Amino acid sequence: MALLNTPVRRTWFAVFVVGALAVPFFGNALVVDLLCRTALAVIGAQALNLLTGYTGLVSLGHAGLMAAGAFASGILTAELGAPFWIALPAAPLVGGLLGFLVGIPSLRLKGVYLALSTLALHFVILYVAAEYQSARGFSTGLLIPRPTLGPLTIAGGRAWYYTLLVLAAATTLFCLNLVRTRAGRAWMAIRDRDIAAATTGINVTRYKLMAFVVSSAITAFGGSLYGYYAGFVSVEAFTFFTAIEYIAMITIGGLGSVLGSILGAAFVTLLPYGVDALINVLPVGERVQSHLFAVKFGAFGLLMALFLVLEPRGLVSIWSRVRTYFDLWPFRYHPLGE
Amino acid sequence: MQVAANTLVLASTYVLLAVGYVVVYRASRILNLAHGELMMLGGYALFTLLSIAPGRPLLALVGTVVVSFLLGTIVYLVVMRPMAGHPLFSAVLVTISLGIFFRGLAILGWTAEIRYPLALMGFGTTSLRLPGGAVISNIDLLSMLAAGGLLLGLWMFFARSRLGIQMRATAENPRLAAERGVNIHLVFAVSWGISTFAAGLVGILYSSQVRLDPEIGVIGLKAFPVALVGGLDSLAGVLPAGLAIALLEVLAIQYVSPLLSEVVPFLALLVMLCVRPWGIFGTPEEIERV
Amino acid sequence: MARSAKLAMTMALAVVAVALLAGPVHASDPYKVGVTAALTGPASTTYAPMIDLFKTYLGKVNAEGGINGHPIQVTYEDDRAEAPRAITNAKKLLEQDKVVLLINTSSSATFKPTIATAKEGKTPLLFGGSVCPEEVFPPADPLLFCSTSFAAKLDAEFAAHFMHEMSGGKAKFGLAAMDIPISRIGIDTAEAVGKKLGIETVAKVVIPPTAVDFTPFASKLKEAGATWGFAWAPWPWEIGPYEALLKLGWQGEYLLYGFQPLEATFARLNRESLFALVGTNLLAEDIPEIKAIQALAAKAGVTRIDLEGWVTAVTLHEALKACGWPCTRDKLQTVMTGISIDFKGVKGGPIQWSKDNHFRTVQYYKVYRWDSVKARPVVVKDWSRVDVEQKLKELK
């Protein structure tokens, strides 16, 4: 329990857990659905954060990897009739393999060039998936039945909420621990200055590949879960914009921070609905109603841009400023001698 | 011969778009992923000007390119300038968010209806027969002339004019240039202006030839690999890259599979990244941070 | 005046202002309906105009006293043609707004999630303006209905027969689609039916959504020697290859499904080689109901009249009228299963649903082409009946 090493942390964690568990009893179906989607986003964001935030390897292939995971599970379930406990683990395996394959040529590349090779991966995966989908006649997607594990079936908002909550928490814990191990430190060294990392004896190749494999596996896992949650898999659900959303999540949250990924995932998933709710409260006449949707769409982009301009280091930096404020209160600065 | 004609036409669109990416990247090292949306706004500027002043297409055209140029400088001054010093990653994301904002703005201002500015100008597309049996349209010809003209104009601007030389200096080493008295914010603003000017040209040509609606910005993403294959900081590379990728695409459509044409630019990019990551004429550097 | 009194007055005024601005309060309970549509985003050019006319028609219905004396209250949600948003919209409309009917006017990416949510909520789902999914064809899912005039396979089948007829059996097909599954299925059907009729498909082009220039695709069709072109895709991808073919000097004839921008395009291109297959009469026709729709749209400031929106609105109107008051989801579903909806001459005939067939028992098609001398569209083939169930059996 080194993560919760102070009584204050333990108390707040307990409060959070109680709150999270109680939500389905107080919130309506919409809120539960949004939180489920946030949990899915958290899983994906954590994966991307490991690769981009901690190791410094920019990846735009996120949506393609999610699609790969979703299709892996989907094809196994719909075409081969595989049960849940085979189809689901197949996704991270496929993801890991793809991560390895894309990792190798990426060892030579950095920055924008790396981003583009991963983007190429995205297009290639989606092309293959689209061809598959048309060739096999799944015009609107493969239908995935509800996941069953023995006598248990995950169905309905509440069941999914708890399942996804547990899985998101597990992923977060996994990532938190991973970055505190040797691999995590190696990744951070590579991100900061990989030539220096190599001179201190870190096998850059091995750790870069490991980052790709682990990140892609978790991403594919997230994609497969998404397929189960939505009840279907289709190539149209995984667009380039999805990849951008995940990049936005980890950037707005704060690159290289596990907490940042959670905050960013929540922000990006919930912002459109927040904007909707805010604009809906404003009283407007009938004529303007039809323009509202364009306003909401544009407002989302505008708010994201504003946020990035005003707070480029992300939500985490706001969080740590708030925390520091309360820590130091009533002082503004650390007193001398501390 | 038709294949050659199609290649040249497609290449001219790619060249015009890629120039925009390259100019902005050279100046401020930012990938402007809202380029497609800026092109779309250029098209809407043309449409609006034509609607306001119906009988004067020339005025509308001139007005459109002026507005496009100004739009670029405004985007730089309002949005990108405050991002100086912040992680480039965030700057690129800001451009993406701006793209979303522009699309919403377009739907708000002009609804999602498909528009045809050419009809408003009173022109139609006419076919021109070339020797060898190939056929292109008058807009295609204008496209090629515009691409060639822009490249030539920019070359002369950067090689001969005072501001152009200052811009090259700033691209090479911004701090040194600033210390030597170059107004780097002016330089950056002008670079963004040139980039959107090129985008405006594409906007005019595309909306006249094909259509104008809030979603045509997606073609901007297709031109991105062209800029990369040629070298993100190299204007000289844009032409060979544009021609090569256009040729591959046209050949793929004709002889392999029309669907493959979507991934052709990215496949070319992948090959380039394996062989020579910085592009045909780019400066061999590996970017340490995005 | 005392501060607290001032504050109270200000707040009271604010409340009154909000109440006034929020619109009239309906005296009687409304019918609640939910719509998830692609109002912004890539597919909005196709679907947003349908909603404009839909809203206008329902506004008129409410102004005239509503349905069975009750107003109709529609909640619109934008799904941007994205599946995750469609799920959330459907859940919200069903569980928070408690609608009695859900309408989908969006692209096929949103179908599966909307269907899944509607089924879980046991609410009837009407596809109005979106392409009819396979679940509404026999054997139909009890909760899913479709009033949209076009359907990829049936349209393509009719088109293939039409082109065969027009060319005396000598056509060579050149087919164009957009890179979405439903469009590809459409042209694949045309190819298969053509083959059965003894017609060769010399070229098939599937055009990606990011196509910059349609010319290379048109070149392929032209070089292959196609004499009849057929496209079934979102409008820009239907008309794009045709315009490119014209530029190349192609002399063949081209058939497409006539979506809303058709009439403006007919006038703009002024070519007689363009044929359009439609499921609703064109606005140019001198039919009283169409004139009424145009007048209504003009009054409401709707510039783009997409009759599919009107068809959906009328379907909704008739369904609710037949349901009576109070209308529950179960009752509505039962009522819709046997209903026959008349479109007052705008379509070739009524939409008749049955227990197994929620598309319609009879589909009507009409074919127009442009007459440059008369400067208006003329009918090439008047309303033709297609027995849906028989055709579907043939197509299997």
Side-chain angles (χ1 to χ4, degrees), chain A residues 143-174:
Chain A
L143 259 182
I144 311 245
R146 297 204 183 116
T148 53
L149 203 65
L152 301 166
T153 308
I154 312 174
R158 214 173 268 190
W160 269 112
Y161 175 77
Y162 289 121
T163 314
L164 290 172
L165 189 65
V166 166
L167 287 172
T171 312
T172 308
L173 196 63
F174 177 74

Side-chain angles (χ1 to χ4, degrees), chain C residues 281-293:
Chain C
N281 271 312
L282 294 187
L283 295 173
E285 295 274 7
D286 192 14
I287 294 173
E289 189 62 29
I290 289 188
K291 296 276 171 267
I293 295 171

Side-chain angles (χ1 to χ4, degrees), chain A residues 220-237:
Chain A
F221 177 67
S224 167
L225 277 178
Y226 171 78
Y228 278 109
Y229 176 68
F232 84 117
V233 171
S234 170
V235 69
E236 293 158 314

Side-chain angles (χ1 to χ4, degrees), chain B:
Chain B
M1 259 314 284
Q2 188 64 42
V3 166
N6 291 345
T7 305
L8 285 175
V9 172
L10 187 60
S12 59
T13 309
Y14 279 156
V15 161
L16 284 168
L17 283 168
V19 162
Y21 285 117
V22 168
V23 169
V24 163
Y25 185 78
R26 261 178 79 120
S28 38
R29 288 279 180 275
I30 293 177
L31 301 169
N32 176 15
L33 293 177
H35 197 61
E37 274 73 31
L38 288 164
M39 171 208 111
M40 177 261 294
L41 284 180
Y44 274 110
L46 175 68
F47 176 76
T48 313
L49 288 170
L50 282 171
S51 310
I52 296 176
R56 303 153 111 203
L58 211 57
L59 186 69
L61 287 168
V62 168
T64 305
V65 294
V66 167
V67 165
S68 302
F69 184 90
L70 287 174
L71 186 61
T73 55
I74 293 172
V75 166
Y76 170 72
L77 289 171
V78 172
V79 183
M80 303 316 300
R81 183 172 154 170
M83 296 293 287
H86 289 311
L88 274 163
F89 211 50
S90 310
V92 174
L93 265 180
V94 169
T95 62
I96 296 177
S97 316
L98 269 184
I100 299 174
F101 173 61
F102 288 144
R103 275 194 289 158
L105 208 61
I107 298 183
L108 195 61
W110 293 279
T111 77
E113 185 172 341
I114 305 176
R115 314 276 184 181
Y116 294 97
L118 196 63
L120 280 182
M121 284 196 269
F123 299 136
T125 52
T126 53
S127 302
L128 303 163
R129 277 207 169 272
L130 298 176
V135 183
I136 60 171
S137 79
N138 49 354
I139 310 274
D140 289 338
L141 185 63
L142 279 173
S143 229
M144 294 194 277
L145 290 174
L150 184 69
L151 280 177
L152 201 63
L154 282 178
W155 176 69
M156 278 171 41
F157 174 72
F158 284 123
R160 303 292 172 78
S161 79
R162 190 187 157 86
L163 185 59
I165 295 177
Q166 285 182 343
M167 286 172 75
R168 277 163 58 203
T170 314
E172 218 177 283
N173 195 331
R175 270 185 86 177
L176 201 56
E179 284 164 13
R180 287 282 287 152
V182 171
N183 184 348
I184 52 172
H185 286 301
L186 177 69
V187 163
F188 287 162
V190 170
S191 320
W192 276 81
I194 293 176
S195 167
T196 45
F197 170 80
L201 283 177
V202 182
I204 294 173
L205 291 163
Y206 190 81
S207 55
S208 304
Q209 172 91 310
V210 187
R211 71 181 181 279
L212 176 64
D213 68 50
E215 296 297 323
I216 59 175
V218 291
I219 70 172
L221 199 63
K222 261 213 70 228
F224 196 48
V226 174
L228 270 136
V229 166
L232 260 183
D233 57 351
S234 156
L235 268 178
V238 164
L239 188 59
L243 283 168
I245 292 186
L247 181 64
L248 284 172
E249 230 182 281
V250 172
L251 288 175
I253 294 174
Q254 189 72 23
Y255 299 115
V256 182
S257 154
L259 207 51
L260 201 60
S261 66
E262 182 162 31
V263 289
V264 157
F266 292 98
L267 286 176
L269 178 64
L270 259 177
V271 168
M272 242 358 218
L273 285 172
C274 294
V275 168
R276 201 186 149 91
W278 44 87
I280 301 176
F281 290 126
T283 20
E285 54 162 331
E286 288 162 84
I287 316 286
E288 291 290 355
R289 27 168 202 111
V290 176

